[in-house]
Amino acid sequence: VPFHYSAVMNILLQQIVNGLTLGSIYALVALGYTMVYGILGLINFAHGEVVMIGALSSLAVVKSLLAVGVPGPLAALAGLGVAALVCTALGFTIERVAYRPLRQAPRLAPLITAIGVSIVLQQLAMLIWGRNYYSVPPLLPSAPHQVLGAEITDVQMLIVAVSAFTMIALMQLVNRTRLGRAMRATAENPAVAALMGVDANRIVSLTFIIGSALAALAGVLVSANYGIAHYNMGSILGLKAFTAAVLGGIGNLAGAMVGGVLLGVIEALGAGYIGTLTGGFMGSDYQDVFAFFVLIVVLIFRPSGLMGEKVAERA
Amino acid sequence: MKLPVVPQTAIALAVALGLAACGKEAPPSPAGQAPAGPVPMIVKLGHAAPLTGPQGHLGKDNENGAKLAIDELNAEHRKIGGRDVSFQLLSEDDQADPKQGTLVAQKFVDAKVNGVIGHLNSGTTIPASRIYADAGIPEVSPSATNPEYTNQGFKTAFRVMANDIQQGKVLGQYAVNNLKAKTIAVVDDKTAYGDDKAVDFKAILTTIKGKRPDLVFYGGMDAQAGPMAQQMKQLGFKAKLLMGDGGCTTEFHKLAGDAAEGNYCSLPGVPLDKMPGGPAFKAKYAAKYHADIQLYAPYVYDAVMVMADAMKRADSVEPAKFLPALAQTDYQGVTARIQFDDKGDLKDGAITLYQAKGGKWEPLETVGGGAPAAAAPAADSAAPATKY
């Protein structure tokens, strides 16, 4: 293959576009992890499964609406709406059933119930939807646009825009509103916040509801991007998003975005170039190794992540 | 090592006697000697495939094929060794995981199965085959195509499908001779046709696109091939995808959507409609399960039938006794006329190439494949592209 400077640049640019999309997906899911962690100091390992439930329930709605002749965009919105309802109800219930009774328990206990909930949700989804892969009907044109030599689809642009917008909106919510102030107060010290008239239980419930609505959104976008949905899709995605949240500094909203995008770009560049760099010795299957290697290095030098603040242990 | 064996055998005998005693009590009539008794002899066949996980749909399809065969065998009320036999299927989920595969294999050995149908993946079949070989239990895999499976020198290992060497050769020849491809990118999922959960291939595809291949060969399963085809389209690929049997499914069309069009795949054997017993099998399957055949069900059905046929010819369900008969198989199955070579591979296994057209796999041509035995259906001559 002859060496063309522009061709090489196009490939690099394409890889960055690939990474940016992948990373925005991670970021959107990571926001859910980071919000819950910020308030409760709890890692909600069931979050990835909520994303999956969002994807599958919206798909069920979209397919049945398309079947009766409802136009595509309308069906997509209805699907998103139903998914958001299902996921918020689910998030609310999970918190009430699996986390709230253990709020005073040692930290390990809710972590274990979180893993339990994620297994239950996955099996439940398998019972409802079966083991089949579902194809997602293309509601946006799948033909790519050429931008500076890179190919980008409508869904990809939508994903990047939606996650950036969501992050900004969440930051506004947390930093500028009454609810946000209550959230920050609860995060800082639930007991004192309660003395000031903040209903901590209500705040925690709302946090789970918002996080789960984001999960529904992420589920719809992920399944639209890859064109498939499956009961197993949440576990790897959840793990990657959790990694992104830790990389950016868990508990920090901007950090989730930075961590997600960074992880996506590292994965894309790693998978794209590792074969060439090692002369074929290592292949794109080392993509995950690459991502986790970067995570380890970052955590060695910045244990609280890239944008995480050093916080004293709660008394 | 001999000492511990003696008490174990003694215990096993005691248990067997105890069971026999119980068995005798069951029928009200005075129990006679074991042969020709009213209680049928149970022939246990193990069936292993991933019944959950990303390949659950394929595993379930295999299980359906096996059940269909078992039900038919039981409806025939066969006698083996002068006794009525009742076939029983023990179906286990190996999760396409080699570790789980060996656990399932050990479970079958402990349950003293008479034979094993499976596993679905080469990655599980190969490690499990050693356990069956050590226990002397015959194994017929419907779909493991890795050559390694029958290369280990086990007398118990058989398959009713052409292996990857046969398939790879045909794929390579077709890519170069018919598709005139000069640069071919090869993407390997690095599992022995196993479990891969990846869905994002854009990074690797972008690198491949930079090398301007004429064709992309993917050695993996449909659940990845579908998104891969979509992402190739999104990246503006002109090259088409060429796949082995893992991508040659109806599922691929569903998952790739309109990006499926024009891609190629190969499948060991001949198209279902052109199999000697294909249309009849399709009808039977649809009547029983109200679903379409995914992929390997006819091969699983044949695997069960081949094993039952060997038991019939040997007039014994003892693995040691019917194993030689299994090696001598000459059986006209649904998929083909089945004969094994000295390694346990299917003799002259056919490979068929397909292209995606209008949401379906259209057969392009069939390479190899033995002449059907005795009652050759005339339908064969109706396949214009078939070369023998």
Side-chain angles (χ1 to χ4, degrees):
Chain A
V1 181
F3 183 85
H4 291 298
Y5 179 73
S6 64
V8 170
M9 281 314 288
N10 284 353
I11 293 172
L12 180 64
L13 202 67
Q14 182 70 56
Q15 294 292 22
I16 291 171
V17 167
N18 298 341
L20 207 61
T21 329
L22 186 62
S24 297
I25 293 172
Y26 291 161
L28 202 53
V29 183
L31 285 172
Y33 275 99
T34 231
M35 268 181 73
V36 168
Y37 187 88
I39 307 278
L40 281 178
L42 162 79
I43 295 160
N44 176 18
F45 272 119
H47 191 63
E49 310 308 334
V50 180
V51 174
M52 172 270 294
I53 301 270
L56 285 169
S57 52
S58 82
L59 187 61
V61 172
V62 167
K63 279 200 168 160
S64 47
L65 285 182
L66 285 181
V68 296
V70 175
L74 209 64
L77 279 179
L80 182 62
V82 171
L85 279 177
V86 170
C87 288
T88 49
L90 194 63
F92 178 78
T93 315
I94 291 171
E95 194 270 326
R96 285 303 274 271
V97 173
Y99 303 146
R100 191 171 294 185
L102 294 169
R103 201 165 301 155
Q104 306 307 327
R107 277 193 166 195
L108 205 55
L111 197 70
I112 291 166
T113 50
I115 294 169
V117 167
S118 108
I119 293 171
V120 167
L121 288 181
Q122 222 183 87
Q123 298 301 315
L124 210 63
M126 197 178 87
L127 287 176
I128 298 172
W129 285 285
R131 309 177 190 89
N132 289 340
Y133 281 80
Y134 288 89
S135 59
V136 179
L139 295 171
L140 289 173
S142 63
H145 307 282
Q146 279 235 338
V147 180
L148 297 167
E151 313 273 349
I152 183 161
T153 61
D154 291 348
V155 176
Q156 282 180 302
M157 290 196 270
L158 190 67
I159 285 173
V160 176
V162 165
S163 22
F165 174 80
T166 310
M167 184 211 56
I168 292 166
L170 267 184
M171 283 174 82
Q172 295 296 321
L173 174 87
V174 170
N175 293 322
R176 303 270 151 109
T177 64
R178 239 179 106 77
L179 172 63
R181 193 163 60 210
M183 282 175 156
R184 281 178 287 140
T186 309
E188 212 152 285
N189 193 326
V192 176
L195 289 176
M196 301 296 137
V198 176
D199 182 352
N201 281 338
R202 194 177 140 263
I203 296 301
V204 170
S205 282
L206 277 172
T207 306
F208 269 85
I209 285 172
I210 296 170
S212 303
L214 291 182
L217 187 60
V220 170
L221 288 174
V222 171
S223 53
N225 187 44
Y226 295 119
I228 60 171
H230 184 238
Y231 82 93
N232 221 352
M233 66 188 278
S235 45
I236 289 279
L237 181 63
L239 194 65
K240 290 286 177 68
F242 169 64
T243 308
V246 173
L247 185 63
I250 194 155
N252 183 312
L253 292 173
M257 192 75 194
V258 169
V261 169
L262 199 65
L263 190 70
V265 172
I266 290 168
E267 280 195 0
L269 293 179
Y273 290 104
I274 194 169
T276 323
L277 289 178
T278 59
F281 177 66
M282 283 156 116
S284 60
D285 49 333
Y286 281 82
Q287 166 167 358
D288 296 348
V289 179
F290 226 74
F292 288 116
F293 177 74
V294 171
L295 176 74
I296 291 169
V297 170
V298 168
L299 288 184
I300 287 172
F301 293 102
R302 286 192 66 93
S304 48
L306 288 173
M307 300 183 69
E309 290 153 38
K310 232 180 167 174
V311 280
E313 271 298 305
R314 218 180 264 162
Chain B
M1 290 306 286
K2 261 188 178 171
L3 264 178
V5 173
V6 178
Q8 268 177 10
T9 318
I11 292 164
L13 255 170
V15 171
L17 285 171
L19 283 175
C22 288
K24 276 178 194 169
E25 273 168 4
S29 60
Q33 280 299 319
V39 183
M41 182 167 54
I42 303 288
V43 180
K44 287 190 237 173
L45 292 184
H47 169 262
L51 300 175
T52 56
Q55 293 173 42
H57 61 290
L58 298 180
K60 199 73 199 161
D61 185 51
N62 278 22
E63 193 185 78
N64 286 347
K67 274 189 191 151
L68 201 57
I70 296 275
D71 288 353
E72 281 180 24
L73 286 170
N74 285 337
E76 280 178 25
H77 300 294
R78 284 196 180 180
K79 276 186 197 292
I80 294 177
R83 284 189 66 179
D84 288 326
V85 291
S86 170
F87 289 88
Q88 194 185 39
L89 192 70
L90 306 182
S91 193
E92 288 286 340
D93 180 9
D94 66 19
Q95 296 167 15
D97 172 20
K99 271 202 304 285
Q100 194 62 29
T102 54
L103 289 179
V104 166
Q106 195 55 52
K107 204 167 168 180
F108 285 154
V109 170
D110 294 344
K112 300 203 166 38
V113 297
N114 301 75
V116 172
I117 308 301
H119 300 203
L120 188 153
N121 308 88
S122 295
T124 46
T125 305
I126 295 166
S129 63
R130 175 173 295 277
I131 295 170
Y132 301 131
D134 288 347
I137 295 175
E139 176 188 14
V140 181
S141 173
S143 48
T145 52
N146 189 320
E148 183 62 21
Y149 169 50
T150 48
N151 264 345
Q152 304 171 99
F154 298 148
K155 290 263 171 287
T156 47
F158 299 88
R159 70 175 119 218
V160 291
M161 184 174 275
N163 69 27
D164 287 344
I165 295 182
Q166 295 162 296
Q167 197 180 167
K169 203 170 134 194
V170 170
L171 276 169
Q173 282 168 349
Y174 193 79
V176 174
N177 296 339
N178 299 49
L179 303 177
K180 309 282 177 223
K182 290 200 171 57
T183 314
I184 303 172
V186 177
V187 184
D188 175 9
D189 72 355
K190 283 255 180 128
T191 66
Y193 264 23
D195 190 12
D196 189 356
K197 291 197 186 85
V199 283
D200 194 296
F201 305 101
K202 284 234 166 126
I204 182 79
L205 287 173
T206 300
T207 305
I208 288 171
K209 196 188 165 201
K211 305 211 192 297
R212 298 163 199 272
D214 302 313
L215 196 67
V216 178
F217 174 74
Y218 176 60
M221 305 301 289
D222 52 6
Q224 283 74 44
M228 188 179 285
Q230 281 202 4
Q231 287 164 35
M232 281 170 71
K233 194 181 172 199
Q234 288 167 9
L235 287 170
F237 262 71
K238 283 179 193 72
K240 289 295 174 196
L241 205 53
L242 175 68
M243 298 170 288
D245 50 311
C248 224
T249 62
T250 46
E251 196 77 0
F252 173 77
H253 289 279
K254 246 176 68 190
L255 299 179
D258 57 356
E261 204 64 11
N263 293 311
Y264 301 92
C265 75
S266 77
L267 210 55
V270 287
L272 186 63
D273 295 331
K274 292 191 180 122
M275 282 175 188
F281 182 80
K282 193 177 173 180
K284 270 195 297 200
Y285 189 99
K288 191 167 163 84
Y289 301 110
H290 308 289
D292 285 335
I293 293 168
Q294 282 291 344
L295 190 57
Y296 302 127
Y299 298 90
V300 183
Y301 177 88
D302 274 0
V304 175
M305 288 306 192
V306 158
M307 201 168 276
D309 174 66
M311 289 174 181
K312 191 174 163 189
R313 281 183 290 115
D315 203 25
S316 170
V317 298
E318 292 285 321
K321 298 223 173 90
F322 78 82
L323 187 59
L326 187 58
Q328 299 301 319
T329 291
D330 183 355
Y331 180 81
Q332 182 58 49
V334 168
T335 58
R337 176 180 177 183
I338 295 167
Q339 289 174 292
F340 298 116
D341 66 11
D342 50 3
K343 286 201 292 187
D345 276 325
L346 180 66
K347 263 190 200 167
D348 198 16
I351 310 283
T352 305
L353 283 141
Y354 297 79
Q355 187 174 25
K357 280 181 194 153
K360 270 165 56 185
W361 288 117
E362 292 290 339
L364 293 171
E365 66 174 294
T366 299
V367 181
D380 264 320
S381 54
T386 307
K387 280 200 307 203
Y388 286 110

